[in-house]
Amino acid sequence: MSLVEDLVISYRTLAEEGVIDAYGHVSVRSETNPNRYLMARQIAPELVTEDDILEFDLDSNPIDPKGRKFYNERYIHGEIFKARPEIVAVVHNHAPAVVPFSCTTRSPLKPIYHMSAFIGLGVPNWDIREAEKGSDMLVRNPHLGRSLAKKLAKHPAVLMRGHGFCAVGGSIPEAVFRAYYAQLNADLQQRAIALGGRVTYLEDEEARLYDETNRGVMGRPWSLWKAKFAPKE
Amino acid sequence: MSLVEDLVISYRTLAEEGVIDAYGHVSVRSETNPNRYLMARQIAPELVTEDDILEFDLDSNPIDPKGRKFYNERYIHGEIFKARPEIVAVVHNHAPAVVPFSCTTRSPLKPIYHMSAFIGLGVPNWDIREAEKGSDMLVRNPHLGRSLAKKLAKHPAVLMRGHGFCAVGGSIPEAVFRAYYAQLNADLQQRAIALGGRVTYLEDEEARLYDETNRGVMGRPWSLWKAKFAPKE
Amino acid sequence: MSLVEDLVISYRTLAEEGVIDAYGHVSVRSETNPNRYLMARQIAPELVTEDDILEFDLDSNPIDPKGRKFYNERYIHGEIFKARPEIVAVVHNHAPAVVPFSCTTRSPLKPIYHMSAFIGLGVPNWDIREAEKGSDMLVRNPHLGRSLAKKLAKHPAVLMRGHGFCAVGGSIPEAVFRAYYAQLNADLQQRAIALGGRVTYLEDEEARLYDETNRGVMGRPWSLWKAKFAPKE
Amino acid sequence: MSLVEDLVISYRTLAEEGVIDAYGHVSVRSETNPNRYLMARQIAPELVTEDDILEFDLDSNPIDPKGRKFYNERYIHGEIFKARPEIVAVVHNHAPAVVPFSCTTRSPLKPIYHMSAFIGLGVPNWDIREAEKGSDMLVRNPHLGRSLAKKLAKHPAVLMRGHGFCAVGGSIPEAVFRAYYAQLNADLQQRAIALGGRVTYLEDEEARLYDETNRGVMGRPWSLWKAKFAPKE
């Protein structure tokens, strides 16, 4: 299965699993040229097909625009690919369970169970006002993309205040897995906080070790998602 | 695609997305006569077809009743169209996530993320007791419709205490978008409040700017909803 | 459409709408003999067909057992039909949103929006320990059924501590409507309480008037449910 | 229907009912050799077919590996079967409603309604740190499996801190029933706590008696699940 096919499946999977609605996007670094990435044209994720995938340079200019419109926020992807050469895939979403953690002064996202251990590697919260006051909240230029990428730094994901989330990974399945399990972690953490009492989160060492283990088992949901959500011919 | 087709899609979309159940309605101002509007006969939204759409004057009298029954609350629509000449579409619903915000003394609906920025333009809370004591809660006459329209004033939406919500827009997609994202905002705001701490809402300028931006991108969910929910021939 | 067909639709509707899972049952008084009622044999609601409907006397003995097994809790239905001659239909369920209101000392179920106005007529909370200590929680004999019916008294519904809910009505659609909107009310009330502040419930007069109005409009969800959930031939 | 068919249905049922996602597994003791058990190879539960079922000894070694990969955590099953000769089936899952109860110092899982009465028999909370510090959270060897089985002791289920849940039973339907109703109980208990006030749980005698009664009625959901989720030929 080609990278383009996997990319199409990632859009559909995140939509079917409720991580994204009509907004949100996934990108993957080109296999043949590390200074380019692939992403869909401006379209709702559930409708993406291979024909909608375009190639961009790391300044987020389309190599061949084919008369299409592009996501306003493609700079999220280009600037992260520039800043993090080892990263292969980026997911941007507005997952409902996650967004509230970007908007409170009191509850940072923390790893509450093993499947979401990567959160223990740190998930900073970016506020667009760090880069621009009085914006329309969108990462619509390289300057804003760079500010976000700087906040992400070496972490596996970053919250965006009043907006959403970005997860990165060494492969499409890893980035999609992280977006999916960030949402579940947020839901579990919300519930645990509501129960009252002190919440026990994963220890740093537990989080670090499971995140390694996970690379060996994250193929399981990916196989399921491919079986369920790959476009039927 | 005609206005009637779009209206049918709006009923089905709001039902499929859980914004309305067997109750709730959408109207659109006539393209040919600004003193008339189109709305379904008394029927559950999921079942609406083009044949169910009737025309009303702004006093909410049907132009040709065709022997049908009408929604008791059609005055919501007629009186808003009278008071707001620039408004093209009105959605009335009882969205579960939204109603609680109409019933508490402490938590007004506020814009918690960019997709719901229009809430930052103000969403007043109308109590039918302002217009009539000891009612059956329904906006069943012009007097009550005018009271609601007056509370709505120049805002994009209005809460109705112990009842529901109305969203208005310059087009069917905009009104439907606002009804859909009001529900999501309510859910996110509820979650953020439960996390404890101080909640950061959108600044007025952020809300105003995104609401403008949104006019350029709200076609994306609308295209998805048309693809998924348009009646199959 | 016959009463038996409506009864089958009520089982399937409550299952499809998440009010009941594999447990729960609906009964209707016979049209030809007010001292008899119809109910399904012991079977999961989603699987009920016309062939599963049996007739019972008001002591909950089957008229013709046809070699079938019966719900242990059929006495709920028989004893309510005895005590309330005007009642035509009874729904018993374990709706997840409702049960918690039967288990706390602090939050009685109250009417939070117009669709659930009937709750304003009073929903008492029955504890089986009022009738029997150290039971297995089931209403498995006439004595327990009578105790429950006595608690219900003239109200439209009754909570059962640590167990579930019963709604009654003058028709199958009314009892099903009440079971459905009790669940929604519980969910909205739970959310409103969590927002903090004082919650505004319907006034007694508002609740009484809307409950009357509702008899004229509750056909709308019923038409939808028939269209969606009637067994296909 | 054979034991293997029932086992396949249990995987699919738990996935369809949201108790497990791409992770989680079910095992059953062999009918012909009590020192062996059956379980799927490493695969997402929704995709399991009869061909994926393998046999293991109680040390969790496959009798005939058939070139397949196995669940890392199969020791959960083997060690419980060793320690509890009367147990026939084991379910391991990460049910979202349940996990938070494993992570707080204040809210043990308690039986809030009759369907979940088995929780009244006791559900201890196992922390992997009791057996190993700085682990990757997985029960990946016999030592960890024995520690978990020891914590489970004579109870019907055990929580796993920051990880999940195990339910055991005298048959596949009983273990699946317990996993399903643990999730519902957790959701109801969470809601009841959020309502404020004192929560009334089942008395010990009520829990004990209903758990006995339940053996006579748990066939009802099982019949439904078989009807809905058995693989179509």
Side-chain angles (χ1 to χ4, degrees):
Chain A
M1 189 164 290
S2 77
L3 203 62
V4 169
E5 286 175 297
D6 274 356
L7 188 57
V8 169
I9 291 168
S10 73
Y11 276 85
R12 291 171 172 243
T13 294
L14 291 167
E16 293 281 351
E17 295 287 357
V19 180
I20 54 183
D21 56 6
Y23 299 95
H25 14 86
V26 189
S27 63
V28 64
R29 196 185 292 270
S30 164
E31 288 173 309
T32 53
N33 181 344
N35 292 315
R36 293 193 178 171
Y37 68 92
L38 307 176
M39 189 162 64
R41 66 176 178 101
Q42 193 181 101
I43 186 175
E46 256 174 282
L47 303 178
V48 171
T49 64
E50 292 193 26
D51 187 50
D52 299 305
I53 305 299
L54 299 176
E55 198 173 14
F56 297 84
D57 65 27
L58 296 194
D59 292 327
S60 299
N61 298 311
I63 304 306
D64 174 1
K66 298 181 180 171
R68 303 294 179 79
K69 294 177 71 180
F70 318 113
Y71 293 128
N72 289 318
E73 300 196 299
R74 59 195 182 277
Y75 306 99
I76 292 172
H77 303 263
E79 298 304 323
I80 289 175
F81 284 126
K82 260 190 222 166
R84 295 276 299 271
E86 86 286 11
I87 286 303
V88 174
V90 178
V91 173
H92 170 59
N93 67 68
H94 312 152
V98 173
V99 173
F101 285 86
S102 78
C103 308
T104 70
T105 53
R106 197 155 127 211
S107 297
L109 206 56
K110 291 186 190 174
I112 196 164
Y113 84 138
H114 65 319
M115 304 310 300
S116 305
F118 74 94
I119 291 172
L121 308 181
V123 180
N125 188 9
W126 180 70
D127 190 322
I128 196 169
R129 291 175 293 191
E130 298 171 17
E132 183 181 337
K133 298 273 180 195
S135 75
D136 72 351
M137 302 289 290
L138 296 187
V139 183
R140 55 165 63 258
N141 61 48
H143 166 66
L144 292 167
R146 276 193 298 272
S147 172
L148 175 67
K150 190 177 164 193
K151 191 77 173 195
L152 169 67
K154 289 296 172 195
H155 300 107
V158 62
L159 288 159
M160 302 161 76
R161 188 268 307 169
H163 179 154
F165 189 73
C166 288
V168 301
S171 65
I172 292 176
E174 187 173 52
V176 171
F177 179 98
R178 284 172 170 176
Y180 176 83
Y181 281 102
Q183 179 178 245
L184 246 108
N185 192 91
D187 187 45
L188 300 190
Q189 189 176 346
Q190 174 103 41
R191 288 168 179 265
I193 289 169
L195 287 176
R198 188 170 50 78
V199 179
T200 305
Y201 296 102
L202 262 62
E203 293 182 2
D204 288 351
E205 183 67 0
E206 290 173 337
R208 194 186 63 74
L209 286 172
Y210 186 81
D211 186 59
E212 279 180 24
T213 290
N214 191 47
R215 284 188 194 107
V217 299
M218 73 192 178
R220 211 179 311 163
W222 186 251
S223 297
L224 177 64
W225 292 331
K226 282 206 297 194
K228 290 172 74 175
F229 305 131
K232 306 292 177 266
E233 300 193 26
Chain B
M1 189 165 290
S2 77
L3 203 62
V4 169
E5 286 175 297
D6 275 357
L7 188 56
V8 168
I9 291 168
S10 74
Y11 276 84
R12 291 171 173 242
T13 294
L14 291 166
E16 293 281 351
E17 294 288 357
V19 180
I20 53 183
D21 56 7
Y23 298 97
H25 14 86
V26 189
S27 62
V28 64
R29 196 185 292 270
S30 165
E31 287 173 310
T32 53
N33 182 343
N35 292 315
R36 293 192 178 172
Y37 69 91
L38 307 176
M39 189 163 64
R41 67 176 177 100
Q42 194 181 99
I43 185 174
E46 257 174 281
L47 303 178
V48 171
T49 64
E50 293 194 25
D51 186 49
D52 298 305
I53 305 298
L54 300 176
E55 198 172 15
F56 297 85
D57 65 28
L58 295 194
D59 291 327
S60 298
N61 298 310
I63 303 306
D64 174 2
K66 297 180 181 171
R68 303 293 179 80
K69 292 177 73 180
F70 317 113
Y71 294 129
N72 289 319
E73 299 197 299
R74 58 195 182 277
Y75 306 98
I76 292 173
H77 304 263
E79 298 304 322
I80 288 175
F81 284 126
K82 260 189 223 168
R84 296 275 299 270
E86 86 286 10
I87 286 304
V88 173
V90 178
V91 172
H92 170 59
N93 67 68
H94 312 152
V98 173
V99 173
F101 285 87
S102 78
C103 307
T104 70
T105 53
R106 198 156 126 209
S107 297
L109 205 56
K110 289 186 190 175
I112 196 165
Y113 84 139
H114 66 318
M115 304 310 300
S116 305
F118 74 94
I119 291 172
L121 308 180
V123 179
N125 188 9
W126 180 70
D127 191 321
I128 196 169
R129 291 175 293 191
E130 298 171 18
E132 184 182 336
K133 298 274 180 194
S135 76
D136 72 351
M137 301 289 290
L138 296 188
V139 183
R140 55 167 62 258
N141 60 49
H143 167 65
L144 292 167
R146 277 193 297 272
S147 172
L148 176 66
K150 191 177 163 192
K151 191 77 173 196
L152 170 66
K154 288 297 172 194
H155 300 107
V158 62
L159 287 159
M160 303 161 76
R161 188 269 308 169
H163 180 154
F165 189 73
C166 289
V168 301
S171 65
I172 291 176
E174 188 174 50
V176 171
F177 179 98
R178 284 172 170 175
Y180 176 83
Y181 281 102
Q183 179 178 247
L184 247 107
N185 193 92
D187 188 45
L188 300 190
Q189 189 176 347
Q190 174 104 41
R191 287 169 179 266
I193 289 169
L195 287 175
R198 188 170 50 79
V199 180
T200 305
Y201 297 102
L202 262 63
E203 293 182 2
D204 289 351
E205 183 67 359
E206 289 173 336
R208 194 185 64 73
L209 285 172
Y210 186 80
D211 185 60
E212 278 179 25
T213 291
N214 191 46
R215 284 187 194 107
V217 299
M218 73 192 177
R220 211 179 310 164
W222 187 251
S223 298
L224 176 64
W225 292 330
K226 282 207 296 194
K228 290 172 74 175
F229 306 130
K232 305 291 178 266
E233 300 194 25
Chain C
M1 188 166 289
S2 77
L3 203 63
V4 169
E5 286 175 297
D6 276 356
L7 188 57
V8 169
I9 291 168
S10 74
Y11 276 85
R12 291 173 173 241
T13 294
L14 291 166
E16 292 282 351
E17 295 288 357
V19 180
I20 53 184
D21 56 6
Y23 299 96
H25 15 87
V26 189
S27 62
V28 64
R29 196 186 291 270
S30 165
E31 286 173 309
T32 53
N33 182 344
N35 292 316
R36 293 192 178 171
Y37 68 92
L38 307 176
M39 189 162 65
R41 67 177 178 99
Q42 194 181 99
I43 185 174
E46 256 175 281
L47 302 178
V48 171
T49 64
E50 292 194 26
D51 187 49
D52 298 306
I53 305 298
L54 299 175
E55 198 173 14
F56 297 83
D57 65 27
L58 296 194
D59 290 328
S60 298
N61 298 310
I63 304 305
D64 174 2
K66 296 180 182 172
R68 302 295 179 78
K69 292 177 72 180
F70 319 113
Y71 293 128
N72 289 318
E73 299 197 300
R74 59 194 182 278
Y75 306 99
I76 292 173
H77 303 262
E79 298 305 321
I80 288 175
F81 284 126
K82 261 190 223 167
R84 296 277 298 271
E86 86 286 11
I87 286 304
V88 173
V90 178
V91 172
H92 170 60
N93 67 69
H94 312 153
V98 173
V99 173
F101 285 87
S102 78
C103 308
T104 70
T105 53
R106 198 156 126 210
S107 297
L109 205 57
K110 290 186 189 175
I112 196 166
Y113 84 138
H114 66 319
M115 304 311 299
S116 305
F118 74 93
I119 291 172
L121 307 180
V123 179
N125 188 9
W126 180 71
D127 190 322
I128 197 169
R129 291 175 293 191
E130 298 171 19
E132 184 182 336
K133 298 272 180 194
S135 75
D136 73 351
M137 302 290 289
L138 295 187
V139 183
R140 56 167 60 258
N141 60 48
H143 167 66
L144 292 167
R146 277 194 298 273
S147 171
L148 176 66
K150 190 177 163 192
K151 192 76 174 197
L152 170 67
K154 289 296 172 194
H155 300 108
V158 61
L159 288 159
M160 302 162 75
R161 189 268 308 169
H163 180 154
F165 189 72
C166 289
V168 301
S171 65
I172 291 175
E174 188 175 50
V176 172
F177 179 98
R178 284 173 170 174
Y180 176 83
Y181 281 103
Q183 180 179 246
L184 246 106
N185 192 92
D187 188 45
L188 300 191
Q189 188 176 345
Q190 174 104 41
R191 287 168 179 265
I193 289 169
L195 287 176
R198 188 171 50 78
V199 179
T200 305
Y201 296 102
L202 262 62
E203 293 183 2
D204 289 351
E205 183 66 0
E206 290 173 337
R208 194 186 63 73
L209 285 173
Y210 186 80
D211 186 58
E212 278 179 24
T213 291
N214 191 47
R215 284 185 195 111
V217 299
M218 72 192 179
R220 210 177 312 164
W222 187 251
S223 296
L224 176 64
W225 292 330
K226 281 206 298 194
K228 290 173 75 175
F229 305 130
K232 304 293 177 267
E233 300 194 26
Chain D
M1 188 166 290
S2 77
L3 203 63
V4 169
E5 286 174 298
D6 275 356
L7 189 56
V8 169
I9 291 168
S10 74
Y11 276 85
R12 290 172 173 241
T13 294
L14 291 166
E16 292 282 351
E17 295 287 357
V19 179
I20 53 184
D21 56 5
Y23 299 96
H25 15 84
V26 189
S27 62
V28 63
R29 196 186 292 270
S30 164
E31 287 173 311
T32 53
N33 182 343
N35 292 316
R36 293 192 177 171
Y37 69 91
L38 307 176
M39 190 161 65
R41 66 177 178 99
Q42 194 181 100
I43 184 174
E46 257 173 282
L47 302 178
V48 171
T49 64
E50 292 193 26
D51 187 50
D52 298 306
I53 305 299
L54 299 176
E55 198 173 14
F56 298 84
D57 65 27
L58 297 195
D59 291 328
S60 298
N61 298 311
I63 305 305
D64 174 1
K66 298 180 181 170
R68 303 295 180 78
K69 293 178 70 179
F70 318 113
Y71 293 128
N72 289 319
E73 300 197 299
R74 58 195 183 276
Y75 306 98
I76 292 173
H77 303 262
E79 298 304 322
I80 288 175
F81 284 126
K82 260 190 222 167
R84 296 276 299 271
E86 86 286 11
I87 286 304
V88 173
V90 178
V91 173
H92 170 59
N93 66 69
H94 313 152
V98 173
V99 173
F101 284 87
S102 79
C103 308
T104 71
T105 53
R106 197 156 126 210
S107 296
L109 205 56
K110 290 186 190 175
I112 196 165
Y113 83 140
H114 65 318
M115 304 311 299
S116 305
F118 75 93
I119 291 172
L121 308 180
V123 179
N125 188 10
W126 180 70
D127 190 323
I128 196 169
R129 291 175 293 190
E130 297 171 18
E132 184 180 335
K133 299 273 180 194
S135 76
D136 72 352
M137 302 289 289
L138 295 187
V139 183
R140 56 166 63 258
N141 62 46
H143 166 66
L144 292 167
R146 277 194 298 271
S147 172
L148 176 66
K150 189 176 165 193
K151 191 77 174 196
L152 169 66
K154 289 295 172 195
H155 299 107
V158 61
L159 287 159
M160 303 161 76
R161 189 268 308 169
H163 179 154
F165 189 73
C166 288
V168 301
S171 66
I172 291 176
E174 188 174 51
V176 172
F177 179 98
R178 284 173 170 174
Y180 176 84
Y181 280 101
Q183 180 179 244
L184 246 108
N185 192 92
D187 187 45
L188 300 191
Q189 188 176 347
Q190 174 104 41
R191 287 168 178 265
I193 289 169
L195 287 176
R198 188 170 51 78
V199 179
T200 305
Y201 296 102
L202 262 63
E203 292 182 3
D204 288 351
E205 182 67 359
E206 290 173 337
R208 194 185 64 73
L209 286 172
Y210 186 80
D211 186 59
E212 279 180 23
T213 290
N214 191 47
R215 283 183 196 111
V217 299
M218 73 193 179
R220 211 178 311 164
W222 186 251
S223 297
L224 176 64
W225 292 331
K226 282 207 297 193
K228 290 172 74 175
F229 306 129
K232 304 295 176 265
E233 298 194 26

